[in-house]
Amino acid sequence: GPAPKRQRLAATSGGSGSAAHVPAAAPPSDAEVRAMGVAAAAAALRAHGSVSRVALAACGRLADLCKEEENRQAAADTGALEAIMAALQAHPQDAGVQHYGCWAMGYVCLGNDAAGLARIQRAADAGGIELAVTALQAHPQVAVVQLGGCMAMGSVCSGTDAAALARMQRAADAGGIELAVTALQAHPQ
């Protein structure tokens, strides 16, 4: 007889099928995420960022990987910035996701060469400044979120390009300066 509907869909669409009809792969384990490279961690975050455990693990992995300068552009090229921001938006009350998401965004955005400035502007255009501010507002007593939020906001506001002043003004308009001062006062260590 004819193939089941799911197989027919996959066959007619180049093998990818429709997300509504083909079951998604199971989320990776934390151990699997910790072993991933940049592209795989970004893909896991894109595919499973709505699962807080995966968002936490993938943002943490991306933060670790993007401490190294050579991984930052690769992360941006694989859509990591947008995936990180989607995770931050999906889990505003999860301090762990906010902590690692802000650090990941901040590390991807480090760099003052043309590529770094493009990553910074891409993050700003995708709402990175406001997401860092939201993390700071949501978790005032969590020192690691305050540090990560300030780092992300500082990274996204940095630069020597003409757009840097506009990014700094956006952070100020969003209350970022006051939140950074409050974070320093609340967590002087």
Side-chain angles (χ1 to χ4, degrees), residues 34-107:
R34 283 191 297 271
M36 290 177 175
V38 171
L45 188 55
R46 280 194 314 276
H48 303 288
S50 63
V51 179
S52 62
R53 175 190 61 76
V54 177
L56 175 72
C59 285
R61 182 63 178 151
L62 287 165
D64 284 343
L65 290 167
C66 291
K67 289 176 185 175
E68 304 300 326
E69 185 176 353
E70 64 269 12
N71 290 327
R72 295 176 190 151
Q73 191 59 46
D77 290 344
T78 60
L81 276 171
E82 293 78 7
I84 291 163
M85 291 186 215
L88 288 168
Q89 285 180 310
H91 307 286
Q93 296 307 314
D94 187 318
V97 173
Q98 296 299 304
H99 166 215
Y100 285 114
C102 283
W103 278 106
M105 177 179 21
Y107 280 125

Side-chain angles (χ1 to χ4, degrees), residues 107-135:
Y107 280 125
V108 172
C109 290
L110 289 178
N112 58 9
D113 61 349
L117 294 174
R119 291 191 305 271
I120 289 167
Q121 191 60 47
R122 185 169 163 184
D125 290 345
I129 293 166
E130 293 78 11
L131 287 167
V133 166
T134 298

Side-chain angles (χ1 to χ4, degrees), residues 111-114 116-117 120 155-168:
N112 58 9
D113 61 349
L117 294 174
I120 289 167
S155 290
V156 178
C157 288
S158 70
T160 56
D161 57 330
L165 288 176
R167 292 190 301 268
M168 290 176 207

Side-chain angles (χ1 to χ4, degrees), residues 67 95 98-107 110 132-133 135-137 139-156 176 179-189:
K67 289 176 185 175
Q98 296 299 304
H99 166 215
Y100 285 114
C102 283
W103 278 106
M105 177 179 21
Y107 280 125
L110 289 178
V133 166
L136 292 168
Q137 290 169 330
H139 303 282
Q141 298 308 315
V142 184
V144 293
V145 175
Q146 296 298 297
L147 185 59
C150 287
M151 188 272 199
M153 187 169 52
S155 290
V156 178
L179 288 165
V181 170
T182 299
L184 288 168
Q185 291 170 334
H187 307 284
Q189 70 283 7

